[in-house]
Amino acid sequence: MSRSPLPPLASVRVFEEAARCKNFTLAASKLGMTQAAVSYQIKVLEERVGAPLFLRQARGVELSPVGSKFAARASEALDVLSDAFSEAKGLSQETLAVSVIPTFGTNFLAQRLGTFQLQNPKIAVRVELSEHLSDLASDGFDVAVRGGHGPWPGLISHLLMPVRFTPMLSPELLNSIGGVREPADLLKLPILSDADPWWKLWFTAAGLDDGDFPNRPRQQVGPQVLEANAAMAGQGVAMLTPAFFQNELSRGQLVQPFDLVCDDGSGYWLVFPESHRNSLKIKRFRTWIEGEVAALDA
């Protein structure tokens, strides 16, 4: 089966960068070209397409309807071509860049990542902790672990585990009131991040009226890992995910006073661009991390 005529790759590359920047001068700077050279490559491509790809305006350029559709497909095609070229050169297996939310990264991934490195000695892993939803393509990440309801447009999303939560506190704080025997006893203690909707969900499931916190200062500690540290220091009761604090529970640094564990329908997801679906290093990482999650559940 013959392939339809293809446009010059150089013109497509220039167009894709100009579409991303929406500015020919900035695109020229990133590509190491002159603005005139960028304009020429765009003109070549427009002549091949038979329609304008940009709408020239007084203060810059905007993608035309044709250009907008072409830009999305061109970007995806260049990603696929880049992956294929890297695979051919043997470079794609050297580094795996992972963006991960702090608590999952600190209390799950970091504690297990050494086994992945042992199983895949040719893949170096670079991990960056971030609460933000990274743009994987522009930020240089291969995969990300995100928390939420998913899926996300343009990304392949695999649910790793549901988000579950229950109150935890230090033994010292628990003993300070002679023990915690029923959920209402928690209201006698400082509550960390009491505005967190997880508290309302848990107290409602425990049979209390919406987890009312009378005369309490409103506070927000931050990611679970910070709340856990505050709880271990005896600063209050934290609402935490048991899967992330097994070591602290086994060492007696934290106590989970009740078996009741709730969820809000969200989860922790492994996500990566659709164009990277055939990347060998991502396949290996996905297989490994799903195995680690399965072992935790077991």
Side-chain angles (χ1 to χ4, degrees), residues 191-194 219-231 235:
I191 300 293
L192 299 173
S193 298
D194 54 3
Q219 58 171 317
Q220 184 66 37
V221 177
Q224 279 196 57
V225 64
L226 296 182
E227 292 192 15
N229 283 325
Q235 298 300 304

Side-chain angles (χ1 to χ4, degrees), residues 19-200:
R20 191 192 303 272
C21 297
K22 293 184 174 59
N23 183 294
F24 286 5
T25 302
L26 180 57
S29 175
K30 290 189 173 184
L31 293 169
M33 303 170 64
T34 64
Q35 182 179 348
V38 168
S39 297
Y40 173 75
Q41 293 292 345
I42 298 298
K43 181 180 179 182
V44 168
L45 198 56
E46 288 178 327
E47 289 176 351
R48 293 291 187 95
V49 172
L53 300 174
F54 288 95
L55 302 177
R56 277 70 172 178
Q57 300 175 344
R59 296 186 178 182
V61 294
E62 290 290 336
L63 286 166
S64 69
V66 172
S68 182
K69 291 182 179 179
F70 183 45
R73 299 297 297 273
S75 181
E76 180 179 345
L78 288 173
D79 283 342
V80 171
L81 183 59
S82 176
D83 280 352
F85 182 64
S86 295
E87 293 280 358
K89 292 182 66 177
L91 296 179
S92 66
Q93 301 310 310
E94 290 184 357
T95 302
L96 179 74
V98 184
S99 173
V100 58
I101 51 179
T103 301
F104 191 99
T106 302
N107 288 66
F108 184 86
L109 185 60
Q111 297 176 7
R112 296 165 172 81
L113 194 55
T115 62
F116 177 78
Q117 298 278 214
L118 289 174
Q119 295 170 15
N120 300 273
K122 294 183 178 180
I123 302 177
V125 181
R126 176 173 66 86
V127 177
E128 181 173 307
L129 303 181
S130 176
E131 286 282 2
H132 303 291
L133 299 183
S134 173
D135 183 337
L136 301 188
S138 62
D139 293 346
F141 292 104
D142 298 296
V143 299
V145 176
R146 291 181 172 177
H149 289 84
W152 289 268
L155 297 176
I156 295 175
S157 305
H158 295 284
L159 179 64
L160 295 175
M161 66 173 74
V163 171
R164 297 190 176 103
F165 46 86
T166 191
M168 297 186 195
L169 69 165
S170 70
E172 293 77 15
L173 186 61
L174 181 143
N175 293 329
S176 69
I177 58 170
V180 173
R181 297 173 177 79
E182 57 185 41
D185 290 338
L186 295 175
L187 297 176
K188 304 173 185 177
L189 298 168
I191 300 293
L192 299 173
S193 298
D194 54 3
D196 188 327
W198 286 2
W199 278 109
K200 179 178 179 180

